[in-house]
Amino acid sequence: MKPVKVGICGFGTVGGGTFNVLVENAAEIARRAGREIIIEQVGARRENPACDTRNTNMTADIFEVARNPEIDIVVELIGGYDVAKELVLEAIKNGKHVVTANKALIAVHGAEIFAAAKEAGVSVGYEAGVAGGIPVIKAIREGLAANKIERVAGIINGTGNFILTEMRDKGRDFNDVLAEAQALGYAEADPTFDVEGIDAAHKLTILSSIAYGIPLQFDNCFTEGISKITREDVQYAEELGYRIKHLGVSARSEKGIDLRVHPTLIPETNMIAKVDGVMNAVAVKGSAVKDTLFCGPGAGAGPTASAVVADIIDIAREIQVEALSFDSLEDLKVLPIDEIETGYYLRMEALDKAGVLATVATILSNKGISIEALIQKEPKDDEILVPIIMLIHKVQEKIMNEAIAEIEALAEINGAVTRIRVEELN
Ligand code: HSE
């Protein structure tokens, strides 16, 4: 059978990883694909010291790769929105299949790209865009195709999980751990995408679209990052039997679809609570299968390359990689964050005087909000402010916000109330 020729655009962590996996596992890959897969050209402005390119046709012009008549599959690994979109559309126009690890591109411009690919009769694979090495897109689209998916939730940013784990286990400083995640090639070019939840929101947007058959709608995803999580919150959560994880949560109910990314307290007994470091975990609940959990490395050269190359092999096997997993999309309402219902962890600083706790409890009970657990710390010798930590039973976010505003307005409460959402995931 004729070999399949691949052009790689972008030669950073993932580009280099993909190059090396294709070279090192060439024989095994050819046996799986039923034909050889050859790197025909690499488009990049600089070499990757981890790769031996002595026998490779290199070009500084990525668009040369998109137009190269020898190439069957263009692998877009440059990242970002604009140039990547132009490159992918140019490749499609030239009749190339496309494989990408670019979740930002798919979450924001996926509809346009898939329409162009359908018209040109080519595939667009993006397994590597979500949860690194975990084949969760294939799992939902193929393995769980019989199910009505009810919930998809999990840790879908490796950098964020690495930071939270190192802060908790080693008491390390946020910025110090972030710098290490960058050095290890986990973080996005702009690491605020990781720590502010934008990267996870891109991934959740894609997962929700393939899980529920809804249009890609990144703008409707509620996004909150981890940069305000303190070591105290991590410790108090543990005292209450919880771990703080940065989760993407989407669920389908009669009211609509939850689509949100935020730091979340989850019970320490839940398996996701034990997923640490750069590992990701995605829990998918289907109507027939019930609870499933997919776990693996969420970032880094090897794991991401593993997913990129799997898509290349599918295309080489002449398996049509579908755009989204549904033939027609349903416009289900995504719930505004005010309308979601969840539990809450609250932390506030109160004047150490009689009656403050009772006043706070009255505000909550007047709104029908019920307290599940409470910790009030002893003041240290010279302090007049004491931390109060509460776990709140499930309530609508809008009502929780109203109560928080009333609590913050009390003269006895110092500053803002810290609020972290709680998910039991049961
Ligand atoms: N920056 C991303 C992460 C890379 O840390 O998860 C993988 O998508």
Side-chain angles (χ1 to χ4, degrees), residues 254-296:
E254 276 166 18
K255 286 193 256 165
I257 305 275
D258 270 30
L259 195 59
R260 49 195 165 95
V261 170
H262 49 69
T264 314
L265 265 74
I266 49 177
E268 64 187 5
T269 49
N270 188 291
M271 280 199 276
I272 295 182
K274 303 180 205 309
V275 173
D276 286 334
V278 74
M279 298 292 274
N280 281 191
V282 187
V284 184
K285 184 171 187 180
S287 54
V289 69
K290 303 300 177 204
D291 290 300
T292 62
L293 182 66
F294 302 88
C295 186

Side-chain angles (χ1 to χ4, degrees), residues 103 128-129 131-132 156-160 186-188 194 199 203 280 298-300 304:
K103 51 270 161 150
I156 46 179
N157 181 269
T159 302
Y186 299 159
E188 295 302 297
D194 297 292
D199 177 74
K203 293 165 178 168
N280 281 191
T304 315

